[in-house]
Amino acid sequence: MNDGTKVIEDGGGQGGVSWKEVSRSTSGNYSIVFYKSANGGSQWKRVTYDKSGKIVKVVYGS
């Protein structure tokens, strides 16, 4: 089933977790996207992108 949200694969930091976008916000020239594990785990990550879409910072947690 696809509910319209994006799921991404990422090996960084959490050993091959699939991520589902939960929220997105903009602050100045940056976009901050919050992802949670699409596999039902408690892992999350917050990714900061610059205005060109380049990743500036990634923070992982659980």
Side-chain angles (χ1 to χ4, degrees):
M1 182 177 86
N2 184 349
D3 60 3
T5 58
K6 183 167 59 174
V7 174
I8 60 172
E9 300 290 332
D10 180 0
Q14 299 292 333
V17 173
S18 295
W19 298 100
K20 181 176 179 180
E21 184 177 317
V22 175
S23 65
R24 178 182 294 258
S25 61
T26 302
S27 177
N29 290 327
Y30 299 98
S31 294
I32 301 165
V33 183
F34 185 72
Y35 298 93
K36 288 199 78 174
S37 170
N39 305 328
S42 62
Q43 298 99 330
W44 58 265
K45 71 176 180 176
R46 187 176 65 239
V47 184
T48 303
Y49 299 92
D50 67 15
K51 63 183 178 181
S52 69
K54 180 180 175 185
I55 293 175
V56 176
K57 182 178 180 182
V58 181
V59 177
Y60 291 93
S62 59

